[in-house]
Amino acid sequence: MTGSVAIVTGASRGIGRAVALELGRLGGSVVINYTTQEDAARETARLVEEVGGRAIIEQGNVALAHDADKLVESALAAFGRVDVLVNNAGVTRDILIMRMKDEDWDTVMETNLKGTFHMIRAVTRTMLKQRFGRIINTTSVVGITGNAGQANYAASKAGIIGLTKSAARELASRGITVNAVAPGLIRTDMTAKLDEQALSVLVAGIPVGRAGFPEEVAHAILFLASPAAAYITGQVLHVDGGMVM
């Protein structure tokens, strides 16, 4: 990835931070997007530079089209091009449908699905001019299976799969691939809220017998961003220990 420039949304922690670090370790330059956690984003940038990469941080809410456009503009101003887009920003508002407010639905859909659309649209013109690009979207196993109490989240992640396949068909002829990764149970701040009993129940349904780590998702994303994946587009790569087969 030496010389490559990547935008990683939601990169202040978890999977996004792991992706940024792997990009930096392989010689890439990274635009680290965050919404509210500036200190964590600065720490991610410091770690990227520590392993040999270059990094800048950029605040922005991808649910807003203007902020998505600004992210791409910042990348171009700092590094001159954008080779890789990793759409990782996401939120949850878990609650049963009968108790779900419109705000719970809208917040999740606007960040997860509309935010992914905003970023793809914002970066497309640049990648078309380059006749090269790698776009990797983060979906989830629940976008395929559904999950009680997560109708909004599951719908947003299922939508990302459809968006991924549609964008892949539109952009393939210009050297741009669009793929998705579907993480299962990964040890992040999001899953840290689970108590040990709930975690044990989930792990019992995973054939490899454990939760995954952010770095394991990052490795899959880096593969899809690399020259080795040039003939892969419109696909969803499960990183879930066999949870969904």
Side-chain angles (χ1 to χ4, degrees):
M1 303 300 295
T2 301
S4 292
V5 177
I7 297 172
V8 183
T9 68
S12 63
R13 56 185 179 167
I15 292 171
R17 174 178 284 186
V19 171
L21 284 175
E22 288 303 311
L23 284 163
R25 201 185 315 278
L26 295 173
S29 301
V30 192
V31 178
I32 295 162
N33 162 250
Y34 70 98
T35 303
T36 59
Q37 298 190 344
E38 181 177 353
D39 289 345
R42 290 193 183 281
E43 176 66 6
T44 300
R46 185 188 70 77
L47 293 169
V48 168
E49 291 171 350
E50 200 172 78
V51 297
R54 296 190 298 169
I56 63 170
I57 67 170
E58 186 67 44
Q59 193 278 336
N61 180 359
V62 297
L64 305 175
H66 174 268
D67 284 13
D69 292 338
K70 186 176 68 172
L71 265 175
V72 176
E73 290 165 6
S74 295
L76 293 173
F79 302 121
R81 60 186 292 117
V82 181
D83 301 292
V84 180
L85 168 63
V86 180
N87 281 309
N88 175 70
V91 298
T92 59
R93 294 291 186 275
D94 296 351
I95 194 167
L96 294 173
I97 290 172
M98 66 182 293
R99 297 191 179 94
M100 187 177 292
K101 298 176 181 177
D102 286 356
E103 181 184 350
D104 299 323
W105 177 271
D106 292 343
T107 297
V108 171
M109 294 298 284
E110 286 172 6
T111 299
N112 298 2
L113 180 54
K114 196 173 184 180
T116 299
F117 160 70
H118 282 159
M119 287 305 305
I120 292 173
R121 184 177 65 182
V123 83
T124 293
R125 189 180 301 277
T126 294
M127 288 185 173
L128 287 172
K129 287 180 181 178
Q130 295 171 174
R131 298 189 72 85
F132 177 85
R134 298 285 181 265
I135 298 172
I136 302 97
N137 303 319
T138 306
T139 179
S140 168
V141 293
V142 303
I144 296 154
T145 65
N147 195 33
Q150 288 193 307
N152 48 4
Y153 186 74
S156 71
K157 294 300 186 177
I160 287 172
I161 294 173
L163 175 58
T164 297
K165 292 177 179 291
S166 298
R169 290 185 180 276
E170 289 187 17
L171 300 173
S173 65
R174 298 298 183 92
I176 303 167
T177 64
V178 188
N179 292 288
V181 294
L185 180 64
I186 307 298
R187 290 189 177 274
T188 64
D189 290 353
M190 194 178 291
T191 57
K193 300 172 186 176
L194 297 170
D195 60 42
E196 285 303 315
Q197 183 177 356
L199 192 63
S200 296
V201 170
L202 289 170
V203 168
I206 301 173
V208 302
R210 65 172 177 85
F213 294 95
E215 293 76 15
E216 293 174 304
V217 182
H219 293 156
I221 290 172
L222 264 291
F223 165 66
L224 292 172
S226 76
Y231 199 55
I232 300 172
T233 196
Q235 303 304 308
V236 181
L237 177 57
H238 289 238
V239 187
D240 63 4
M243 180 185 286
V244 177
M245 295 190 188

